[in-house]
Amino acid sequence: MSDIQRKGPYKSRPSNTKRKPSFSKPVIASGSQSRAAAALCVNAVEEGNSLSTALPMYTKDLDDRDRAFVQEIVYGTLRHKRLLSTTASELLDRGINQRFNQVRTLIICALYQIIFTRSPAHAVVAATVGACDLIKCRKFTGVVNAVLRRFLREGAHLIHSADPCVEHSFPKWLFDELSQTYTADEVIEIMKNSNVHPPMYLRVENSKISTEDYLKCLEKKEIGATAVEQCPSAVLLDEPEHVSRLPYFEQGYVAVQDVSAQMAAPLLDLKDGMRVLDTCAAPGGKSAHILDLAKDIELISCDIDEKRLEETKRGLSRLNRNPELRQIDASESLSSLEGEFDRILVDAPCSGTGVIRRHPDIKWLRRQKDIEKLVETQAKILDNAFAKLKKGGILVYTTCSILKRENIEQVRSFLTRHTDARLLPFIMNGNEVETYQRLPGELNADGFFYARFIKE
């Protein structure tokens, strides 16, 4: 995003000069470009676009440091959007026309920075005022300046709400959905944990290097990290790091993957020589883990999205993993795949309500009506996958959702449809369970659901 240049006022000169009139550029404060990009990203999400689309679009002309700064503002603002918006409304003497909603977005992004970051308040104000010109809202410069200075003058505090949906910035439909399954205290904890900065977990490719040895490599680089008792391949970094700093990352010894996701592939109980299917493979993390857990496995990894399948191929190539990749819509049919499989992983498309802390746009993009369609899609994938499972074979069903309709109710419905399927118990956190629902924040991990079936 380049600076918008405007012609300045004409400056008169003495009559005896023959020089042409000059035009000056407005002085744009340092950081205004980043603030403008952040506001445009947040506004794009409000208009229905995902962050995976908006962030690259509005940060393509920024350097890495500014790009990271924009992401921090955008993610933080989306995490606390309703609370910030409520505060902004109290500061505005009158509403802003919907046509100029970007101005309002600029203001709430600035409030986030003043409250939640270490950015100096005066620098936030100056840069945000300068950003008005960059988003073609120059006439609102005075309004933005006055609102932010009033906020500082009155103590720079948020206006809290007794409504938990506002206080924790959650859509009401999602709050109501969660309240049908969890206690009031659990729902509050879910919302709180969904609004925090997520940690960075690594999955060590244990067929190449032990977790203990990789921790020693991190220590030599002065990167703080700890092993995770419940998951032998997992390493939790003390602070997030750019992958360029991680030892042997380019050599494919390690991948970035949350510990909850790392607990899926081991449930397949893999043995050498098996034929395995990953039905919804993108972005490929679980396919890579499958190939790391056993030798001589024939793995077919499918996904409906051609572009994501290309990204999957690149990620797997870095790890030197090369399963057969197929573009297939598993909800339609898997009949194009020959034969049956010993193990099948269905990491189903879902609401993503367990990973909101990593993808805060989910709160504002997902709609209640989406859930019913997702449940139908999940059921079709499960049915099609089970038809390709050998007798005595194991199918693992996972989602990154915390909604019972996608999880335990989906399992019960599947068992009703398939009398030759039964739940196969597994160990989770030291206990034997038939299904397991992990909530956001447990083990400092993402929300995740696991179920395992055997075909009799």
Side-chain angles (χ1 to χ4, degrees):
M1 174 177 174
S2 58
D3 288 356
I4 298 173
Q5 299 179 355
R6 295 182 181 274
K7 293 181 178 180
Y10 175 76
K11 296 181 179 180
S12 62
R13 296 185 178 276
S15 58
N16 60 349
T17 183
K18 293 183 179 181
R19 293 176 64 185
K20 294 180 180 180
S22 65
F23 296 89
S24 61
K25 300 176 184 177
V27 177
I28 302 298
S30 174
S32 291
Q33 254 188 308
S34 298
R35 270 66 176 202
L40 291 170
C41 284
V42 173
N43 200 66
V45 171
E46 291 178 338
E47 292 176 352
N49 297 288
S50 69
L51 281 180
S52 61
T53 299
L55 275 168
M57 181 187 302
Y58 292 113
T59 63
K60 64 180 184 294
D61 293 332
L62 299 178
D63 60 30
D64 289 345
R65 183 177 176 181
D66 283 344
R67 206 173 285 127
F69 182 54
V70 170
Q71 181 167 313
E72 159 64 18
I73 296 172
V74 171
Y75 275 57
T77 300
L78 291 173
R79 287 185 180 115
H80 305 285
K81 188 164 78 78
R82 291 193 71 179
L83 194 57
L84 294 166
S85 295
T86 299
T87 302
S89 295
E90 292 295 320
L91 295 166
L92 288 162
D93 293 329
R94 57 182 179 177
I96 294 174
N97 188 296
Q98 185 65 30
R99 190 159 64 94
F100 298 103
N101 193 52
Q102 291 169 347
V103 176
R104 183 183 181 85
T105 308
L106 259 184
I107 291 171
I108 67 170
C109 286
L111 298 185
Y112 167 75
Q113 295 165 69
I114 292 169
I115 292 291
F116 293 99
T117 75
R118 297 178 180 179
S119 299
H122 66 277
V124 174
V125 174
T128 303
V129 169
C132 289
D133 194 57
L134 300 178
I135 63 170
K136 301 180 181 179
C137 294
R138 195 175 189 181
K139 68 179 182 178
F140 286 94
T141 298
V143 173
V144 171
N145 185 56
V147 165
L148 295 182
R149 291 193 179 280
R150 177 185 170 188
F151 180 64
L152 295 175
R153 191 169 59 248
E154 294 179 359
H157 58 82
L158 292 169
I159 297 175
H160 294 280
S161 173
D163 183 346
C165 297
V166 175
E167 183 64 19
H168 301 288
S169 292
F170 255 63
K172 188 175 187 306
W173 77 263
L174 183 50
F175 173 82
D176 291 342
E177 188 93 20
L178 293 171
S179 298
Q180 293 176 19
T181 306
Y182 305 104
T183 67
D185 288 342
E186 285 174 329
V187 173
I188 295 298
E189 281 303 302
I190 287 170
M191 293 192 294
K192 284 182 178 179
N193 289 329
S194 295
N195 286 335
V196 301
H197 286 261
M200 185 171 178
Y201 280 98
L202 304 179
R203 181 181 62 78
V204 181
E205 292 259 300
N206 287 148
S207 64
K208 302 169 184 174
I209 187 172
S210 70
T211 300
E212 182 181 358
D213 285 344
Y214 191 75
L215 282 167
K216 292 176 183 177
C217 295
L218 289 170
E219 187 177 0
K220 288 179 182 178
K221 282 257 191 175
E222 297 184 346
I223 298 174
T226 53
V228 180
E229 182 181 352
Q230 296 88 341
C231 186
S233 60
V235 167
L236 172 62
L237 299 185
D238 292 351
E239 297 289 340
E241 294 283 351
H242 193 277
V243 293
S244 61
R245 285 207 67 218
L246 300 176
Y248 303 112
F249 181 81
E250 288 303 324
Q251 289 78 9
Y253 280 39
V254 68
V256 178
Q257 189 177 41
D258 188 80
V259 66
S260 286
Q262 292 187 47
M263 292 182 175
L267 296 181
L268 289 166
D269 190 21
L270 296 159
K271 302 290 189 299
D272 293 352
M274 283 184 167
R275 192 163 189 251
V276 184
L277 174 64
D278 186 353
T279 59
C280 310
K286 297 179 186 66
S287 284
H289 198 183
I290 287 170
L291 291 170
D292 190 49
L293 288 170
K295 298 176 182 177
D296 303 321
I297 280 180
E298 180 192 348
L299 175 63
I300 297 178
S301 299
C302 308
D303 202 82
I304 186 176
D305 191 316
E306 182 180 9
K307 183 178 179 181
R308 294 193 75 208
L309 213 51
E310 283 297 318
E311 294 170 355
T312 298
K313 183 178 180 179
R314 288 193 292 272
L316 289 169
S317 294
R318 181 186 64 80
L319 297 168
N320 197 27
R321 303 296 184 188
N322 300 291
E324 181 181 346
L325 299 179
R326 300 279 293 272
Q327 185 184 358
I328 297 176
D329 181 355
S331 70
E332 288 294 325
S333 174
L334 291 170
S335 60
S336 62
L337 298 175
E338 294 182 2
E340 295 179 321
F341 294 85
D342 301 287
R343 301 289 188 265
I344 297 179
L345 174 63
V346 177
D347 183 36
C350 67
S351 62
T353 44
V355 293
I356 286 173
R357 64 182 187 168
R358 298 190 186 277
H359 306 282
D361 51 335
I362 286 174
K363 288 196 290 186
W364 315 117
L365 296 177
R366 194 70 69 221
R367 298 288 182 267
Q368 189 168 20
K369 63 183 179 182
D370 298 335
I371 307 304
E372 187 170 341
K373 186 174 181 180
L374 284 165
V375 169
E376 291 176 3
T377 300
Q378 292 156 3
K380 289 176 181 177
I381 295 173
L382 276 170
D383 290 347
N384 291 336
F386 195 68
K388 301 296 290 184
L389 186 67
K390 290 180 180 178
K391 289 182 179 180
I394 293 173
L395 185 153
V396 171
Y397 174 69
T398 63
T399 74
C400 54
S401 169
I402 54 175
L403 303 183
K404 66 178 181 179
R405 282 198 278 165
E406 299 179 274
N407 296 336
I408 189 63
E409 289 184 2
Q410 184 70 265
V411 167
R412 290 168 181 161
S413 178
F414 175 80
L415 290 171
T416 300
R417 296 194 304 275
H418 299 276
T419 56
D420 55 344
R422 68 174 174 84
L423 284 168
L424 182 62
F426 53 92
I427 303 298
M428 188 65 72
N429 295 346
N431 299 311
E432 185 176 88
V433 294
E434 289 190 327
T435 65
Y436 192 80
Q437 177 68 73
R438 187 184 309 284
L439 297 181
E442 180 190 331
L443 284 185
N444 204 8
D446 292 341
F448 225 82
F449 178 80
Y450 314 84
R452 186 164 73 164
F453 305 96
I454 187 167
K455 191 171 193 177
E456 296 185 323

